[in-house]
C-alpha cells in the first residue's frame, strides 16, 4: 500500500496498539484505569510482529519480546548469524 516495508518503529507502534486494545478488552465492559493496568500486567506471550514473535511484561513491568540483531548485507537488512 505504501510502496515500502515497515521499519522497527512502525512495528513497535503497531504492537503497542494491539497490546493496549487487548488490555482494554480484557479489563471488561466498563474498564477503569486500574483494571486496564492490571490487564496489562497480566499479558504473557502475546503474539506480535516484534522480535521473536511473543511479548510479555515481567514483574517490574519491563517489556520482553526477544531482540533480533540485524546487519546490513548487500545494502539490505538481514538477521545476524
Amino acid at each position: 500500500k505504501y510502496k515500502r516495508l515497515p521499519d522497527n518503529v512502525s512495528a513497535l507502534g503497531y504492537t503497542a496498539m494491539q497490546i493496549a486494545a487487548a488490555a482494554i478488552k480484557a479489563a471488561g465492559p466498563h474498564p477503569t484505569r486500574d483494571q486496564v493496568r492490571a490487564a496489562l500486567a497480566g499479558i504473557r506471550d502475546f503474539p506480535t510482529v516484534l522480535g521473536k514473535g511473543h511479548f510479555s511484561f515481567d514483574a517490574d513491568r519491563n517489556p520482553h519480546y526477544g531482540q533480533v540483531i540485524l546487519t546490513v548485507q548487500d545494502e539490505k537488512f538481514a538477521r545476524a548469524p
Side-chain angles (χ1 to χ4, degrees):
K1 181 177 179 177
Y2 298 103
K3 298 184 172 60
R4 62 184 277 197
L5 293 173
D7 58 18
N8 192 48
V9 175
S10 299
L12 286 167
Y14 179 76
T15 298
M17 292 309 299
Q18 284 187 311
I19 291 169
I24 292 167
K25 184 176 179 180
H30 302 287
T32 65
R33 182 181 191 162
D34 290 334
Q35 290 169 324
V36 173
R37 180 180 291 164
L40 276 171
I43 289 179
R44 299 283 182 274
D45 295 325
F46 188 86
T48 180
V49 297
L50 289 176
K52 297 189 178 181
H54 294 282
F55 185 99
S56 296
F57 288 106
D58 66 15
D60 293 323
R61 297 186 300 187
N62 295 311
H64 293 275
Y65 51 89
Q67 298 175 349
V68 175
I69 306 297
L70 300 176
T71 62
V72 178
Q73 296 174 346
D74 299 322
E75 299 182 12
K76 294 181 182 178
F77 287 109
R79 282 189 177 204

